[in-house]
Amino acid sequence: MTEPRQIVFVIDDDPAIREALDSLLRSVGLDVRCFGSVKEFIAAPRPDIPSCLVLDVRLPGKSGMDFHKEIAQSEAALPVIMMTGHGDIPMSVQAMKTGAIDFLAKPFREQDLLDAIEAALEKDRLIRKQTAELTILRDRLATLNEGERNVVARVVKGLLNKQIAGELGVSEITVKVRRAQAMRKMQANSLAELIRMAAQLGL
Amino acid sequence: MSPRLRLPGLGNSTLLTVSLVLLAAVIFLADTVTNLEIAVAVFYVAIVLISVRYLDRSRVVMVASGCMALTLLSFFLTRAGSMSAGVVNCAISLAAIGVTAYLALRTAAAEATAREARTQLAHITRVTVLGELTASIAHELNQPLAAIVINGNAALRWLAGQPANLDEAGKAAERIVRDANRASALIARLRASTKRTSAKSIWSDVNQMVEDTLTLVQSETSRNHVSLRTELAGDLPQVEVDAVQIQQVILNLIVNALEAVSGSDAQARDVIVVTGLGRSNEVVVTVSDSGRGLNGVQMDQIFDAFYTTKPDGLGMGLAISRSIVESHGGRIWAEPGVPGGATFAFSLPAGNKGNVMLSSTRKPNR
């Protein structure tokens, strides 16, 4: 079996629902891991690939609602789709406010679930891409020395080389050299790209 | 088959008034003709105590005041005896009447509050239990139903694949069957728990059941000033039923009727319970009221669960009544009353003569 590209986690205490969801999701080519409780899910290893969680509200031990709040507040935010056998409006509003992709009342249309899963995986992919990019940019930024950093900070503010030289008390040539070095280290091909990177890094 | 007429509770309020006035007159006469040393006026407390049971607060105060006035009047009319003893006796009588009226009214008010609280508590408990029951049943049933739907969709998708995965589709179909059986077992279990599993069918007398039920609503009728009459056919064949359940039905219909007349502004607040023999030899119990009637009520829905015409009704009473009556092989129906109000009735298959004779040794002779 090849390593999955993406994965759907399911937490539901009802074994019949787990089996059914496992079969349905596999039938459309998705990789699935099912769990009977939040505890089991936390104990299991999670591969570092795009994933999402289909979470039942009523669970033994920690409820799905509480676990969803925890996930939403944690660093590695995993997109969540809530489902319940006795959904009501306040509950679904709460779930959406906490950031759920969708809130499905059982029995639901399978297409609704599949659409929600697709959206959730897409969202996770995007989050992962952004996180990965940010990590690379941070690593690049770490290679800049203090002089180069000072220059970059002023370049993105829109100051001219001459003005930067004046502010830092160095020659214009030095500013040009440091600027070129910074562009090379950050792998920025243009000033516009450098500014975008700075914005991503929150400089 | 001669109908017996009975007037329980407050139906005879004029009779009551007449006897109270008579009693007061006797006491007044005795008080006036005897000399001042004899305190006959103390017996007025009897009138006060009787009136507290049947009259409302302001009328009881009026009665007590009347008694006190009579006491004073006869004091002035009495000629014989020692004046000082007369004054003391008169004062004691007045104090006794006043204190009795005060204490009796306080007790009656406390009883009314307690009754009110009990009714409310019973209603709340019923609603809460039913609400929780429904929610948990809904959830229990929803799980297998959801699994069936998902498995069905999965099976379709496995079959639609290129090539179709028959093995997976078959497994999904097997799970559908299993989950459907699970849902149906759940329903069977539910039905068994609500069905009359512990019901004991015994030969019973419908008239006796009606009279037993009336004792339960006695305080309700006098509190709401409703005249509750019965016309019970003598000579009715017995029915083979679970008496407790049928009594529940009778109670439910009477309570509904009482609520209907209490809610109306009409002068006449009449509820009448009639028993008799139907055309095809079945025992029929009819409860008619002079209440607001069934105008605009969906007659074909009135026995459905959760259908209600009352603002705080549950819509379960008539549904439960129907299931009880039908499980006894009977029928329940509603029709507009004549001239107004509503009539609810149910029938029960009557036993044959042989059965009646067999069972007659078991039932207490009335």
Side-chain angles (χ1 to χ4, degrees):
Chain A
M1 197 180 147
T2 54
E3 189 67 18
R5 287 178 301 107
Q6 54 188 23
I7 194 158
V8 179
F9 299 106
V10 174
I11 310 181
D12 195 310
D13 61 326
D14 192 323
I17 298 270
R18 286 206 299 273
E19 283 173 341
L21 284 176
D22 178 72
S23 176
L24 175 71
L25 299 182
R26 280 188 299 107
S27 77
V28 294
L30 287 164
D31 281 284
V32 198
R33 299 269 188 289
C34 291
F35 304 93
S37 70
V38 170
K39 212 170 142 189
E40 275 178 46
F41 172 72
I42 291 172
R46 253 185 280 167
D48 189 18
I49 50 174
S51 42
C52 70
L53 175 62
V54 178
L55 182 61
D56 190 36
V57 169
R58 191 185 278 193
L59 288 172
K62 186 172 283 171
S63 90
M65 226 56 183
D66 291 343
F67 186 50
H68 180 209
K69 266 179 220 154
E70 267 176 41
I71 292 176
Q73 284 158 7
S74 72
E75 271 295 302
L78 182 67
V80 173
I81 295 151
M82 302 288 299
M83 56 179 184
T84 177
H86 56 299
D88 55 7
I89 291 170
M91 211 187 256
S92 42
V93 168
Q94 179 61 46
M96 299 314 272
K97 272 190 180 164
T98 317
I101 299 286
D102 210 339
F103 189 92
L104 302 169
K106 290 178 200 168
F108 42 76
R109 279 182 56 223
E110 103 276 27
Q111 195 59 53
D112 289 345
L113 176 70
L114 296 177
D115 289 348
I117 286 176
E118 198 182 318
L121 288 174
E122 191 51 48
K123 187 180 175 188
D124 197 42
R125 223 171 272 131
L126 191 69
I127 292 172
R128 282 172 176 280
K129 198 171 143 224
Q130 283 169 348
T131 317
E133 273 178 16
L134 200 63
T135 314
I136 292 169
L137 288 182
R138 280 207 184 115
D139 289 348
R140 288 181 194 162
L141 187 68
T143 63
L144 266 57
N145 63 36
E146 206 188 331
E148 288 159 355
R149 246 182 247 204
N150 286 338
V151 169
V152 169
R154 284 164 179 77
V155 166
V156 299
K157 267 195 232 162
L159 297 184
L160 299 171
N161 287 349
K162 206 191 294 173
Q163 291 168 309
I164 298 170
E167 267 192 29
L168 293 177
V170 294
S171 71
E172 220 180 312
I173 300 287
T174 312
V175 172
K176 276 187 184 168
V177 170
R178 285 180 185 172
R179 183 169 165 169
Q181 282 284 48
M183 295 274 278
R184 189 180 56 74
K185 284 183 180 171
M186 293 301 290
Q187 297 177 25
N189 296 319
S190 65
L191 181 61
E193 207 173 325
L194 185 70
I195 290 170
R196 187 180 62 78
M197 286 173 177
Q200 261 179 290
L201 285 164
L203 285 178
Chain B
M1 207 185 294
S2 59
R4 286 182 296 135
L5 200 68
R6 218 186 67 149
L7 302 167
L10 189 64
N12 40 11
S13 60
T14 40
L15 193 67
L16 181 80
T17 316
V18 169
S19 36
L20 280 182
V21 168
L22 271 175
L23 186 57
V26 169
I27 295 171
F28 177 76
L29 275 177
D31 195 19
T32 314
V33 297
T34 53
N35 55 27
L36 287 171
E37 282 91 347
I38 301 172
V40 180
V42 171
F43 288 114
Y44 283 124
V45 297
I47 294 175
V48 173
L49 286 175
I50 294 169
S51 67
V52 162
R53 276 190 69 96
Y54 298 103
L55 300 179
D56 60 26
R57 206 182 163 75
S58 57
R59 292 208 182 122
V60 171
V61 172
M62 271 166 57
V63 168
S65 314
C67 289
M68 289 164 111
L70 288 176
T71 308
L72 282 172
L73 185 62
S74 76
F75 170 73
F76 290 115
L77 291 178
T78 305
R79 291 282 158 246
S82 138
M83 196 58 185
S84 59
V87 171
V88 171
N89 278 341
C90 183
I92 290 173
S93 301
L94 290 177
I97 295 166
V99 168
T100 306
Y102 173 72
L103 290 179
L105 281 175
R106 285 262 313 249
T107 314
E111 273 171 7
T113 315
R115 199 167 43 222
E116 194 89 359
R118 217 164 42 228
T119 320
Q120 268 173 12
L121 188 70
H123 182 71
I124 290 166
T125 316
R126 224 169 46 194
V127 173
T128 321
V129 167
L130 200 76
E132 271 168 20
L133 194 71
T134 331
S136 98
I137 292 168
H139 187 256
E140 284 297 310
L141 270 179
N142 230 354
Q143 289 291 106
L145 289 179
I148 290 169
V149 173
I150 300 169
N151 277 318
N153 288 319
L156 289 175
R157 284 180 187 270
W158 286 120
L159 289 174
Q162 294 294 340
N165 190 328
L166 293 181
D167 185 38
E168 287 284 0
K171 280 183 194 159
E174 274 167 24
R175 285 193 301 269
I176 292 176
V177 174
R178 183 199 64 190
D179 293 338
N181 282 333
R182 184 175 142 210
S184 136
L186 199 74
I187 292 170
R189 214 165 61 227
L190 249 170
R191 188 178 286 158
S193 68
T194 54
K195 224 181 166 187
R196 44 192 208 112
T197 41
S198 63
K200 281 194 212 90
S201 286
I202 49 164
W203 288 98
S204 326
D205 179 351
V206 170
N207 287 348
Q208 181 66 55
M209 287 190 277
V210 170
E211 298 207 4
D212 289 349
T213 313
L214 287 180
T215 59
L216 299 174
V217 294
Q218 211 73 272
S219 72
E220 200 70 18
T221 51
S222 58
R223 193 159 61 103
N224 291 323
H225 307 297
V226 176
S227 126
L228 177 59
R229 288 190 302 129
T230 54
E231 278 176 21
L232 307 179
D235 227 16
L236 271 184
Q238 295 205 322
V239 286
E240 190 182 12
V241 294
D242 180 346
V244 176
Q245 290 195 351
I246 295 301
Q247 234 169 301
Q248 260 178 33
V249 175
I250 299 172
L251 180 66
N252 186 30
L253 295 186
I254 293 179
V255 168
N256 278 351
L258 290 179
E259 280 180 14
V261 291
S262 303
S264 73
D265 309 324
Q267 285 295 310
R269 293 183 160 189
D270 297 321
V271 173
I272 179 161
V273 185
V274 181
T275 60
L277 210 55
R279 239 173 269 150
S280 35
N281 219 38
E282 73 276 20
V283 175
V284 179
V285 179
T286 309
V287 180
S288 307
D289 65 66
S290 63
R292 53 182 172 258
L294 294 168
N295 290 338
V297 172
Q298 301 292 320
M299 288 297 242
D300 50 341
Q301 280 180 11
I302 198 163
F303 291 101
D304 288 353
F306 302 114
Y307 179 87
T308 181
T309 57
K310 292 180 248 174
D312 56 349
L314 260 183
M316 288 307 282
L318 286 176
I320 292 169
S321 296
R322 175 167 70 177
S323 81
I324 290 175
V325 170
E326 286 179 354
S327 74
H328 283 91
R331 208 165 62 81
I332 189 167
W333 67 93
E335 53 199 35
V338 181
T343 295
F344 283 85
F346 67 90
S347 65
L348 293 168
N352 55 46
K353 290 271 183 239
N355 281 332
V356 177
M357 289 214 300
L358 264 178
S359 63
S360 62
T361 47
R362 269 184 281 158
K363 71 154 193 151
N365 220 350
R366 286 198 306 118

